[in-house]
Amino acid sequence: MDPAKYKDVKVKRGLIYHYFYSPAAPGKPTLFFIHGFPSTSFDWHRQVAHFEPKGYGLIVPDTLGYGGTSKPQEPEAFRWKLQAQDLIDVLDAENPDTVIGIGHDWGSQLLSTLAQLYQDRFAGFVWTAASYVPPRTEEFVLQDVWQTMRKLVGSDVYGYWELFNEPDSHVVCEKNIDSFLQLVYPSAPEVWLQHLTDAGKAKAWIESNNKPGGAPWLTDQEYNTMREALLKGGLQAPMNFYKASIANVNLQDYRDLPAENWHIKKPALFVAASRDYVCRPASGKASMEKYAPHAEIVELNTGHWVQLEATEEYNAILEQWIEKTPTARL
């Protein structure tokens, strides 16, 4: 991704957002890519390489806490409603005619909030690995979620949240950065079943500085770029995505949201990952069927990092869906 094509904008609440921008050619929509944890806009570099030469517009921000974007230290700053307004401010800076929102991981949560609050600003939505997330109007209690998931799938699923919620979680992960990265970008998706999803396992892996090797679908150059970006920006602010959710900072915003805002009316696509043991396809499909029953659902035989593990297939699915969905293009 060409550094010269990055811009900075000050959003309404005074924070700086850093984003990649390439304008759309006539007749092409703008794709608004939103990354997750622990990433930067670089997570989408293979999609930029595919879509930019074809004339698609591209806006790819570093989300809050990452890369060149501001890094608040307080979890309250990471309320979904506030971040969604920030991203609308980024869009307003370029004012594209037709926008398709595309999210992955926590970016899918952000995309869900954008759909709930600003659906008219988008021509369509694409959720990747993590599906549409409806508002949660009851308090989130992590241990209760573990208990529920154990009964459903035999795993805590969100066990690693315990580590990420600790005050010094960023220190542990930065100190053992390669161990951390080789866990979140694993050599095989099943590593997560053994060392991430159950409580205590991620902490044991990282504190022991376990480094069995990284993902085969990342080049050394890509891995080093990700590594350098995380060390430069630090992990303290990104950990607030977890701390904010556990602290229920979004609860009142969700309770204030009108019921009619919960449902997706625009064209939608969900690209599920059959070997993602956190964002599980079955629960994702159930969410889409309830809140966006018209959505197209495609499942790929990958782990969580769909856009990197199956780049060509994922790009083709995106492009074909856009081209056959009249309201998702000019």
Side-chain angles (χ1 to χ4, degrees):
M1 295 167 71
D2 184 353
K5 294 183 178 180
Y6 274 84
K7 294 184 172 184
D8 293 306
V9 63
K10 180 180 284 190
V11 299
K12 289 185 178 67
R13 58 174 171 151
L15 302 174
I16 300 298
Y17 270 71
H18 190 61
Y19 64 98
F20 177 92
Y21 175 63
S22 181
K28 292 289 187 180
T30 292
L31 310 183
F32 188 45
F33 286 102
I34 311 172
H35 71 82
F37 177 95
S39 312
T40 65
S41 52
F42 182 74
D43 246 24
W44 298 108
H45 68 283
R46 296 184 187 174
Q47 284 62 55
V48 169
H50 176 84
F51 286 102
E52 187 175 22
K54 295 174 180 284
Y56 289 88
L58 295 162
I59 299 178
V60 193
D62 290 334
T63 63
L64 193 63
Y66 294 98
T69 293
S70 294
K71 299 170 181 61
Q73 300 305 304
E74 63 280 4
E76 175 71 19
F78 287 75
R79 284 166 53 196
W80 300 126
K81 180 179 180 179
L82 299 180
Q83 291 191 70
Q85 177 61 67
D86 294 344
L87 293 178
I88 290 297
D89 292 346
V90 172
L91 285 180
D92 285 345
E94 304 301 341
N95 197 29
D97 292 328
T98 304
V99 181
I100 297 170
I102 303 167
H104 174 258
D105 191 82
W106 281 123
S108 287
Q109 169 71 73
L110 280 167
L111 186 65
S112 300
T113 306
L114 285 166
Q116 291 153 9
L117 297 175
Y118 304 101
Q119 192 154 169
D120 289 345
R121 294 295 302 271
F122 295 85
F125 301 95
V126 179
W127 282 273
T128 310
S131 70
Y132 171 78
V133 184
R136 186 184 186 97
T137 57
E138 300 298 325
E139 285 195 9
F140 179 92
V141 180
L142 184 58
Q143 291 75 11
D144 290 350
V145 174
W146 292 346
Q147 186 175 12
T148 299
M149 297 312 295
R150 285 185 208 123
K151 293 177 180 177
L152 290 174
V153 299
S155 163
D156 296 341
V157 178
Y158 305 107
Y160 63 99
W161 284 38
E162 181 181 41
L163 169 62
F164 292 173
N165 191 49
E166 292 181 1
D168 65 344
S169 57
H170 62 289
V171 176
V172 173
C173 294
E174 289 168 11
K175 178 182 177 182
N176 304 295
I177 188 65
D178 290 302
S179 179
F180 170 74
L181 284 172
Q182 290 173 30
L183 178 59
V184 294
Y185 295 94
S187 59
E190 288 68 31
V191 168
W192 281 13
L193 273 180
Q194 298 298 318
H195 300 286
L196 184 82
T197 57
D198 287 334
K201 295 294 184 67
K203 186 173 184 178
W205 170 292
I206 294 169
E207 286 187 338
S208 65
N209 201 24
N210 191 9
K211 295 183 289 187
W217 32 265
L218 284 178
T219 67
D220 289 345
Q221 183 177 358
E222 288 171 326
Y223 178 88
N224 288 331
T225 297
M226 294 172 169
R227 185 182 191 276
E228 291 168 11
L230 289 180
L231 285 176
K232 182 178 179 180
L235 284 164
Q236 185 171 3
M239 292 296 183
N240 279 327
F241 279 86
Y242 297 92
K243 291 179 171 68
S245 293
I246 293 172
N248 287 290
V249 302
N250 301 289
L251 189 58
Q252 192 58 52
D253 292 336
Y254 278 152
R255 289 174 173 171
D256 292 341
L257 190 69
E260 59 266 25
N261 289 39
W262 288 36
H263 294 267
I264 305 301
K265 304 174 183 66
K266 298 295 181 70
L269 169 66
F270 172 42
V271 183
S274 63
R275 296 164 68 195
D276 188 337
Y277 299 105
V278 173
C279 302
R280 295 185 173 232
S283 59
K285 291 175 183 178
S287 178
M288 299 305 296
E289 288 165 4
K290 182 173 183 179
Y291 297 102
H294 59 285
E296 181 176 340
I297 298 176
V298 179
E299 185 169 339
L300 297 181
N301 183 29
T302 72
H304 182 68
W305 303 96
V306 181
Q307 72 272 40
L308 296 170
E309 295 181 51
T311 301
E312 292 185 7
E313 192 172 2
Y314 178 74
N315 290 347
I317 289 167
L318 282 186
E319 188 172 359
Q320 290 165 12
W321 179 80
I322 294 167
E323 291 303 316
K324 74 181 181 184
T325 306
T327 53
R329 52 185 170 82
L330 293 177

